[in-house]
Amino acid sequence: LLAPREELRGLPAAHLEALRERRVTVEEAASLTASALEAALGEADLIIDAIFGTGFRGPAQDLPARVIEAANASGAPILAVDLPSGVDAASGRADPPCIRAAATVAIALPKVGVVQYPAAAHAGRVYVADIGIPDALVREAAIPTSLATARWVDRTLPRRPANSHKGRFGRIGIVAGARGFAGAAVLAARGAIRAGAGLVTAGLPASLVAMLPTALPEAMTRTLPETAAGTLSEEAYQAVIELAAASDVVAVGPGLSTHPEVVALLRRVLPRIERPIVLDADGLNAFQGAARLLADLPGPLVITPHPGEMARLLGRRTAEVESDRLQTAREAAHLVRGIVILKGARSVVAAPDGGACIIPTGTPAMATGGMGDVLTGAVAALLGAGLPPFEAAACAAYLHGLAGNLTAAARGEFGLLAHEVADGIPRALADVRSGRVDEGISAVP
């Protein structure tokens, strides 16, 4: 018992009395020496952690901190109640010390602190205990953060009618590539096609156009003027406008480079595009220090930064972004008045109104080059299929992560290639449709 016995009132005091009547030994931690505390926890076969509740804000200090450290050092498995003590339930922060649980039983609903990193690393396997809260009350509650699930993705993605044709599933224009970064355009196009786009046209610097039909014959090309360095030149302005006009969605950024003419071109041309835009990589870097300009784009916007790109966009350190990924994504969405996918472990999708969704799929095996390009194409494809921007972003991120899970399970954790993940998206969707997805969160049996 970490609280002084005499300070307990109401239900806690009644529960303590019930334990005494059942002859359960209750020891006050404050009365134990450090060695006695370590010995007591070291003898346990299981430690149940219920030190703090969901209102806790870290870091843990004094006696609770010493108990947390002793529990972690004991070697016994720890089962956390609702969330591991020391982590922040609302943000996913994990200021040390924090309990390292083997499993967590979340009460009624999983908390952000058991599904969002860095706190999620402390939760172990997550189980959700039904305590009788009616589903209707949950649906009516103004809960701003959701967890993407296979059931939700299945309900959200449209079915293909029997009389479908390629024109019904979106014409995707991609503006990408530079000398030395040609693969980014190929991967974005591949991601779009594998995610169901009807037609994909990649606008490339002139010297790269011949490469795409060999690498991906299913995609079409548009030749764009280039600089001597093999990047897009400002003279590509009119050609990009024409490509956008012929497209339902435009994806911009993969492999473009930060050449001054690329930056000038993007800042000039994007405000003229009224189609939905997916902006990634060097498309975002072109607006470093000028993120507010993105709020004035005429069409719907989805941006897909990794933490480093997000830090540059907001003028922060990457560590600040990672320390509270949920809040950072919300702030960025509000700033650019668009949908944000903050990539990484447990990607966050955020909207300008403060709504957000955490993506439970994905694997460390996806930490290789080109994965973000595939996601960019997938988001564009789902926008082209008619999904609203938030739903398109969340479903694409979920399927992209699930494709990574499935591919890594078959091939192993090292050496995963981005194009293999793109090629795994159709199977990921098939698993979602059939209900064969393990998201790592289970109901208590």
Side-chain angles (χ1 to χ4, degrees):
L1 181 65
L2 273 69
R5 190 184 302 251
E6 63 274 9
E7 291 184 7
L8 298 185
R9 299 286 187 274
L11 280 176
H15 292 161
L16 183 62
E17 178 61 22
L19 288 177
R20 188 189 66 79
E21 291 174 355
R22 287 167 174 77
R23 300 173 186 254
V24 173
T25 301
V26 177
E27 295 188 79
E28 294 194 39
S31 67
L32 299 176
T33 63
S35 58
L37 177 62
E38 291 174 5
L41 292 173
E43 294 172 358
D45 296 310
L46 173 71
I47 296 172
I48 298 178
D49 160 40
I51 298 173
F52 296 125
T54 55
F56 171 77
R57 298 291 180 269
Q61 297 176 340
D62 303 323
L63 178 61
R66 293 199 300 273
V67 173
I68 289 172
E69 290 168 347
N72 287 338
S74 69
I78 302 175
L79 176 65
V81 177
D82 218 13
L83 74 164
S85 290
V87 309
D88 190 309
S91 70
R93 290 180 65 98
D95 298 319
C98 300
I99 284 290
R100 293 194 299 270
T104 299
V105 176
I107 307 302
L109 293 171
K111 312 305 181 288
V112 171
V114 300
V115 297
Q116 183 55 261
Y117 286 99
H122 294 262
R125 180 82 187 192
V126 177
Y127 298 87
V128 179
D130 180 3
I131 59 169
I133 296 177
D135 290 341
L137 287 183
V138 174
R139 287 193 297 270
E140 292 169 7
I143 300 174
T145 308
S146 61
L147 183 69
T149 65
R151 289 182 60 190
W152 176 79
V153 173
D154 184 34
R155 291 196 308 268
T156 303
L157 289 174
R159 261 64 176 175
R160 293 198 169 200
N163 61 342
S164 296
H165 57 83
K166 60 180 178 285
R168 298 183 64 167
F169 300 108
R171 294 172 170 85
I172 310 303
I174 296 174
V175 181
R179 189 177 302 158
F181 302 98
V186 177
L187 290 169
R190 194 173 191 130
I193 291 170
R194 287 301 196 181
L199 293 163
V200 175
T201 301
L204 302 165
S207 61
L208 302 182
V209 166
M211 168 273 306
L212 188 62
T214 301
L216 190 65
E218 296 85 355
M220 297 175 288
T221 59
R222 178 72 64 90
T223 301
L224 303 179
E226 67 180 7
T227 66
T231 68
L232 292 184
S233 76
E234 288 191 75
E235 295 177 2
Y237 173 84
Q238 188 58 40
V240 173
I241 291 291
E242 293 171 0
L243 174 60
S247 305
D248 298 310
V249 179
V250 184
V252 180
L256 282 178
S257 86
T258 54
H259 188 283
E261 289 206 38
V262 171
V263 173
L265 171 67
L266 295 186
R267 291 197 181 190
R268 181 183 168 207
V269 77
L270 292 191
R272 291 287 309 279
I273 297 175
E274 296 184 357
R275 300 285 195 259
I277 294 174
V278 184
L279 196 62
D280 183 35
D282 290 324
L284 291 168
N285 291 331
F287 290 87
Q288 181 177 342
R292 291 187 181 277
L293 295 177
L294 295 174
D296 297 326
L297 299 187
L301 175 67
V302 179
I303 67 173
T304 63
H306 60 55
E309 291 162 347
M310 179 69 91
R312 289 192 290 273
L313 199 64
L314 299 180
R316 300 178 184 174
R317 294 181 296 109
T318 302
E320 292 179 74
V321 171
E322 290 286 69
S323 69
D324 193 342
R325 291 168 49 80
L326 194 57
Q327 181 60 26
T328 300
R330 284 190 164 111
E331 290 175 10
H334 179 75
L335 176 66
V336 305
R337 296 181 189 172
I339 304 303
V340 172
I341 304 176
L342 177 54
K343 295 181 291 196
R346 302 286 165 85
S347 293
V348 176
V349 181
D353 65 2
C357 180
I358 296 173
I359 308 299
T361 58
T363 166
M366 297 173 73
T368 62
M371 294 292 175
D373 304 324
V374 172
L375 176 61
T376 295
V379 174
L382 296 188
L383 281 168
L387 287 183
F390 185 88
E391 285 78 1
C395 288
Y398 186 98
L399 292 173
H400 179 253
L402 180 57
N405 293 145
L406 296 171
T407 308
R411 292 185 174 272
E413 151 176 32
F414 294 96
L416 201 63
L417 301 178
H419 81 263
E420 295 173 331
V421 171
D423 293 344
I425 292 175
R427 183 192 162 193
L429 177 55
D431 279 13
V432 164
R433 295 290 198 213
S434 65
R436 296 192 304 263
V437 179
D438 178 8
E439 294 162 332
I441 299 177
S442 310
V444 173

